Amino acid sequence: MAVKTLEDLLSEGVSGRRVLVRSDLNVPLDGSVITDDGRVRAALPTIKRLAEAGAKVIVAAHLGRPKGTPEAKYSLRPVADRLGELLGKEVRLAGDVVGEQARAVVAGLADGDVALLENVRFDPRETSKVEDERAELARDLAALTGDSADASGAGGRGGAFVSDGFGVVHRKQASVYDVARALPAYAGGLVLAELEVLSKLTGDPQRPYVVVLGGSKVSDKLAVIEALLPKVDRLLIGGGMAFTFLAAQGHSVGSSLLEQDYVETARKLLAEHADKIVVPSDVVVADKFAADAATDTVAAEKIPDGWMGLDIGPRTTEHFAAEVAAAKTVFWNGPAGVFEMAPFAAGTKGVAQAIADSGAFSVVGGGDSAAAVRVLGLPEEKFSHISTGGGASLEYLEGKELPGVAVLEGGA
Ligand SMILES: Nc1ncnc2c1ncn2[C@@H]1O[C@H](COP(=O)(O)OP(=O)(O)OP(=O)(O)O)[C@@H](O)[C@H]1O
Ligand SMILES: O=C(O)[C@H](O)COP(=O)(O)O
């Protein structure tokens, strides 16, 4: 990739310069408690290296999907605190994105200090479809790094932008895309590392190449399934998306998650790729979507009316585990069941354990799948790579252009 990188920026020298870093700090929260800080940890090395080299680091990030206006529940306060704990120094959170408070916090930065701007999606221009609006926010962000107030200290060298939020590079948003045109832009270590690992899956993966898909976003992942099928040796389908495939086989799926509009396509894919697609042969069903539901394990073609499938059954888990054990390359996106509730966590745990034990080159992509690895207490180090990107890693595997990367290459 012909881009300038964090290493280039560090060798130019950053001492005294204000450097804007876009990180993906979109973590799962329970109230104000971070339930999985994986993304904060992943963002740390770039921030730390810049701070240690004497930069005044300004971090921009989003949390959730607020609608362009401040909302307390989407404040980055818990993230600023966690980042500070992990860095071992205070991270001041600006009370706004590019307003007076942000300017004041930035003006107070000493060399090596780190500040976090409030949720960039509190500003409606961040996600605007109107390019001029996004460009205006990008200029405001760039101005925070401006060397006018800083020219002497910075030795005439102005600000810089480091794009390190891999999980968000598939978004054409102001703090990801447009800002890279408003400032000298550099690819951060996390973005480069993620792209390098994922390129091993799109290049010439070692075979057998097994992909495990699950989760609940069937329609979102339809394009990925179609794009992946010609490239993989096996596609194991669990989670909520399995029921659309079971319906396509003519089974009744009770009140399980079902994307009726996709049944016909699923039937076509099953017919064309019968040798590759594996769907569940048994499922754990429940009489309601709750941890205290009545449950049963039934054959996939015998889901009773009014019951819903919330996990793959033990026979399926064993089958998936055997496929994974034989693989040389595994990509996993989407939990096999509702792992957040104990009665429906066994399938996800079994599949994840099999991936960890497989010795294959294994990549976990997807917010909930990565969280499942940590929340279920699986040995993280036994996975080759746990991607910080959900949608971003899938779009990459699909072969789509990632705007936040293309702009660094001078394209998009
Ligand atoms: N059988 C099922 N019925 C309903 N929901 C399910 C089922 N199996 C898994 N899920 C839910 O799917 C959710 C995760 O789906 P999702 O497609 O968002 O995966 P992901 O790993 O977060 O990927 P991405 O980051 O791409 O969104 C989990 O919250 C899980 O409870
Ligand atoms: O969680 C993610 O996948 C990234 O942070 C991107 O978030 P978004 O889907 O709300 O753009």
Side-chain angles (χ1 to χ4, degrees):
M1 186 169 64
V3 298
K4 287 199 285 182
T5 69
L6 173 67
E7 301 309 318
D8 297 324
L9 176 61
L10 288 167
S11 51
E12 278 171 29
V14 290
S15 181
R17 290 172 72 182
R18 291 184 191 156
V19 178
L20 179 73
V21 180
R22 177 55 157 108
S23 300
D24 182 3
L25 303 176
N26 191 21
V27 290
L29 287 174
D30 184 2
S32 60
V33 177
I34 297 174
T35 53
D36 176 40
D37 68 358
R39 280 180 166 159
V40 184
R41 289 178 181 276
L44 215 56
T46 291
I47 295 171
K48 220 170 171 173
R49 288 195 69 197
L50 285 164
E52 281 169 4
K56 297 167 177 167
V57 185
I58 307 163
V59 182
H62 74 282
L63 182 71
R65 292 178 175 175
K67 302 264 174 290
T69 179
E71 277 182 75
K73 68 174 178 181
Y74 292 122
S75 168
L76 282 168
R77 177 81 265 163
V79 174
D81 293 345
R82 186 72 190 122
L83 191 56
E85 278 165 25
L86 293 169
L87 275 171
K89 64 195 286 181
E90 191 196 356
V91 171
R92 282 191 65 196
L93 176 70
D96 54 24
V97 183
V98 286
E100 219 169 280
Q101 300 185 57
R103 287 195 295 274
V105 166
V106 165
L109 287 175
D111 294 359
D113 279 356
V114 179
L116 177 62
L117 303 177
E118 190 47 284
N119 193 335
V120 278
R121 291 185 183 173
F122 284 176
D123 189 313
R125 296 171 296 175
E126 169 69 3
T127 55
S128 172
K129 296 278 169 266
V130 181
E131 190 167 349
D132 286 351
E133 291 178 4
R134 291 198 317 268
E136 190 188 76
L137 174 57
R139 281 195 298 276
D140 288 350
L141 286 165
L144 291 175
T145 73
D147 58 352
S148 53
D150 203 28
S152 52
R157 296 165 307 160
F161 171 63
V162 177
S163 175
D164 205 40
F166 177 71
V168 82
V169 288
H170 59 314
R171 302 289 182 219
K172 199 168 193 175
Q173 296 177 350
S175 69
V176 178
Y177 173 82
D178 304 81
V179 74
R181 298 174 141 186
L183 279 173
Y186 302 81
L190 181 61
V191 163
L192 292 172
E194 292 265 17
L195 291 174
E196 194 187 327
V197 172
L198 291 172
S199 70
K200 293 186 189 160
L201 298 179
T202 51
D204 189 13
Q206 276 207 59
R207 294 181 182 280
Y209 175 20
V210 174
V211 169
V212 188
L213 286 183
S216 50
K217 301 176 191 161
V218 186
S219 47
D220 277 19
K221 293 176 186 175
L222 160 63
V224 186
I225 293 178
E226 290 190 287
L228 283 177
L229 271 167
K231 299 176 187 158
V232 306
D233 298 300
R234 283 281 187 285
L235 181 65
L236 315 180
I237 299 182
M241 68 164 62
F243 300 97
T244 303
F245 284 83
L246 292 175
Q249 289 180 329
H251 304 316
S252 156
V253 296
S255 49
S256 308
L257 208 67
L258 175 65
E259 297 254 2
Q260 194 62 52
D261 293 350
Y262 181 42
V263 171
E264 204 38 57
T265 317
R267 190 171 293 135
K268 184 181 86 114
L269 292 176
L270 283 165
E272 286 169 4
H273 302 277
D275 54 329
K276 291 187 177 177
I277 300 178
V278 183
V279 297
S281 57
D282 60 346
V283 291
V284 177
V285 291
D287 65 347
K288 58 180 177 181
F289 189 86
D292 64 352
T295 66
D296 198 3
T297 300
V298 299
E301 64 277 11
K302 297 232 167 79
I303 300 175
D305 282 353
W307 288 60
M308 60 186 81
L310 294 184
D311 196 10
I312 56 174
R315 195 149 40 100
T316 307
T317 307
E318 224 173 273
H319 185 178
F320 281 17
E323 293 284 357
V324 163
K328 289 263 175 6
T329 305
V330 183
F331 176 73
W332 170 37
N333 171 272
V338 183
F339 73 96
E340 298 93 334
M341 300 180 196
F344 316 111
T348 303
K349 198 164 185 177
V351 171
Q353 188 69 56
I355 298 173
D357 293 340
S358 67
F361 175 71
S362 58
V363 178
V364 182
D368 286 302
S369 324
V373 168
R374 292 184 276 258
V375 171
L376 297 175
L378 291 150
E380 268 182 76
E381 66 286 354
K382 289 181 80 180
F383 296 85
S384 311
H385 183 66
I386 299 182
S387 176
T388 54
S393 60
L394 286 174
E395 290 198 15
Y396 180 85
L397 292 188
E398 241 178 275
K400 278 195 185 162
E401 181 176 82
L402 303 173
V405 174
V407 73
L408 299 175
E409 292 166 329

